[in-house]
Amino acid sequence: MSQHALLSVGSKAWRSLLCPRSELRLDLTLGCGQTFRWRETGPDHWTGVMGGRVWTLTQTDHALWYYVYSRHGMKAEPSPTGQGLEGGANRSVKTEEAGLDVKEEELLRDYFQLDVGLQDLYRDWSHRDRHFALVADVFSGVRMIRQDPVECLFSFICSSNNHVSRIQAMVEKLCHTLGARLTTLDQTHYHDFPTLHKLADSSVEACLRLLGFGYRARFVQQSARLILDSHGPDWLMQLRRRPYPEVRGALRALPGVGLKVADCVCLMSLDKAGAVPVDTHIWQIARRDYSFGAGSVRKSLTDRLYQEIGDFFRQLWGPNAGWAQSVLFCADLKKFQHLKMAGRDGGDEAGGEEEGKSRKRRRVAAAGRKRDDAVKEEGE
């Protein structure tokens, strides 16, 4: 039986690319609710489906390691030089393997948008926003994923009035029921995400209701059918080239897509870095940490209030506001509060002495600013 790969068992079939943790933290990025298809299958090893393949990812301080499975499970090993192959054929196999490695690395770089310098963005946001600076060191490496638009859209249609663990379960049911089977590892079956044509079939709503999707079953089937009938199968991918307001409006015309779902899809799959998804959680952060709407008696998140909160953060953080928002959202999740505690104690599970020293310097500087402010107030 094929098993999930572990780097510690042997690195022969693994590949790596240079990527420090300050540019990507797998635990934070894959675990903060952007995507619902990655699972921790070993200590600091994450397995999921991307680009129609099953991958296991892990990282060291300065490298991102990846293992891509064949449809039969384990990765095919390279043939030893000169054994069973003529010289020309062996060179051909090596060339093919090299080409495959390049494609896999390109797919990985695109998925994590590694061409975007995250450390530079963090410095800019920290300069603009004192509160962001307070969490930046502990929650470094939170990066926006560039997902397949079909997977992203229908995953977030399932997110309506749901919590993360249930969304994950629903997305897995959707894939297992309608997606092509890719491989099995440790008795866990991995499937590709269903195509639009599969999702649009007239039998899908009844099928998903039996699986516990409730009213979301209708939204899934109707949205897929509307896309195919009115726009065509490539429409979502084409939206990457359209301006943000137009794209958000077009998505909202789909059944089951409100402002938040539309902004999640814009940010996480359609290259709209300025999209800021707002839910009650982000509203609470805005009020608690930024005194947004101080004194207001508004108790519900209306469309107007939603837009005001998004505009506030876009003005504060600039054109990549959606990326910055994801850092604060991640830092506020209960599952990651132990990192804050470790940060207060001067340690950092993510990253060694230098980041611990950096945090200490920030605390000293912040204390100095408070003393200066107190002196000014006394003088006045």
Side-chain angles (χ1 to χ4, degrees):
M1 179 180 66
S2 297
Q3 298 176 318
H4 291 98
L6 291 171
L7 184 62
S8 59
V9 174
S11 61
K12 186 176 181 181
W14 288 78
R15 299 291 182 265
S16 68
L17 55 90
L18 291 176
C19 182
R21 290 182 189 271
S22 56
E23 286 291 332
L24 172 64
R25 282 274 302 272
L26 288 176
D27 57 338
L28 300 181
T29 301
L30 297 178
C32 69
Q34 292 187 56
T35 176
F36 306 101
R37 302 211 62 203
W38 294 88
R39 301 289 184 276
E40 194 169 10
T41 51
D44 300 317
H45 285 62
W46 295 78
T47 301
V49 178
M50 171 178 53
R53 307 285 297 278
V54 180
W55 304 60
T56 292
L57 308 176
T58 190
Q59 61 186 146
T60 52
D61 285 342
H62 301 289
L64 173 62
W65 289 83
Y66 59 98
Y67 188 109
V68 186
Y69 300 85
S70 72
R71 285 184 175 268
H72 301 292
M74 302 308 290
K75 189 166 185 174
E77 298 289 349
S79 300
T81 303
Q83 293 185 13
L85 290 169
E86 298 294 334
N90 192 38
R91 283 193 297 272
S92 177
V93 170
K94 286 186 175 182
T95 301
E96 184 177 342
E97 289 168 355
L100 184 59
D101 288 341
V102 169
K103 289 179 180 179
E104 290 172 352
E105 180 173 327
E106 288 177 350
L107 182 58
L108 196 62
R109 287 185 177 278
D110 180 75
Y111 186 74
F112 287 112
Q113 304 193 74
L114 295 180
D115 60 320
V116 177
L118 194 59
Q119 293 181 75
D120 293 336
L121 290 178
Y122 268 61
R123 279 191 287 269
D124 179 47
W125 297 326
S126 296
H127 177 74
R128 292 169 177 260
D129 176 9
R130 181 179 295 186
H131 177 70
F132 186 94
L134 294 176
V135 301
D137 285 335
V138 176
F139 291 90
S140 62
V142 180
R143 177 174 286 277
M144 291 310 308
I145 295 172
R146 192 181 194 230
Q147 299 179 57
D148 173 78
V150 172
E151 177 175 337
C152 187
L153 170 62
F154 288 95
S155 294
F156 278 100
I157 286 177
C158 294
S159 74
S160 176
N161 297 315
N162 245 336
H163 52 78
V164 172
S165 60
R166 186 157 184 255
I167 300 167
Q168 289 175 330
M170 293 174 75
V171 171
E172 284 307 306
K173 288 178 182 178
L174 188 68
C175 295
H176 285 206
T177 305
L178 301 174
R181 183 168 171 176
L182 299 175
T183 193
T184 300
L185 305 169
D186 291 318
Q187 298 183 332
T188 298
H189 304 302
Y190 290 90
H191 293 73
D192 205 356
F193 200 85
T195 65
L196 278 172
H197 288 90
K198 284 281 189 179
L199 294 170
D201 189 271
S202 59
S203 65
V204 164
E205 180 181 349
C207 174
L208 296 184
R209 284 188 180 277
L210 289 174
L211 293 174
F213 280 59
Y215 64 87
R216 304 170 195 85
R218 175 168 54 87
F219 293 153
V220 168
Q221 192 274 332
Q222 289 184 353
S223 288
R225 175 49 56 198
L226 180 59
I227 290 172
L228 289 176
D229 290 348
S230 301
H231 305 289
D234 299 325
W235 177 67
L236 285 171
M237 193 67 75
Q238 293 167 356
L239 291 179
R240 286 180 171 175
R241 301 192 294 270
R242 307 304 301 166
Y244 166 52
E246 176 187 329
V247 171
R248 186 169 73 167
L251 291 173
R252 291 193 68 193
L254 299 173
V257 179
L259 279 169
K260 181 200 166 187
V261 170
D263 271 339
C264 285
V265 178
C266 283
L267 176 64
M268 301 169 195
S269 68
L270 297 178
D271 302 340
K272 307 299 179 271
V276 179
V278 178
D279 57 6
T280 54
H281 192 79
I282 293 299
W283 185 17
Q284 181 183 28
I285 291 174
R287 289 187 297 183
R288 183 192 66 211
D289 300 328
Y290 294 90
S291 300
F292 178 87
S296 172
V297 296
R298 289 182 288 189
K299 296 182 178 180
S300 61
L301 187 59
T302 63
D303 285 1
R304 179 178 177 180
L305 179 58
Y306 183 105
Q307 186 66 34
E308 289 174 358
I309 295 171
D311 288 343
F312 169 79
F313 284 125
R314 278 185 282 271
Q315 183 175 5
L316 177 63
W317 294 321
N320 294 290
W323 286 54
Q325 176 257 19
S326 70
V327 179
L328 294 191
F329 181 85
C330 183
D332 216 54
L333 292 175
K334 290 182 180 179
K335 65 189 293 185
F336 295 130
Q337 292 311 296
H338 65 286
L339 297 178
K340 282 186 177 180
M341 298 301 296
R344 293 191 187 103
D345 293 338
D348 182 12
E349 296 185 14
E353 290 186 4
E354 280 306 312
E355 292 190 9
K357 291 177 181 177
S358 177
R359 273 197 315 281
K360 186 175 180 180
R361 287 194 295 269
R362 288 187 186 278
R363 288 198 298 270
V364 171
R369 286 194 294 270
K370 288 182 180 179
R371 286 195 298 270
D372 291 344
D373 292 342
V375 170
K376 288 179 181 178
E377 290 177 3
E378 289 179 5
E380 293 172 355

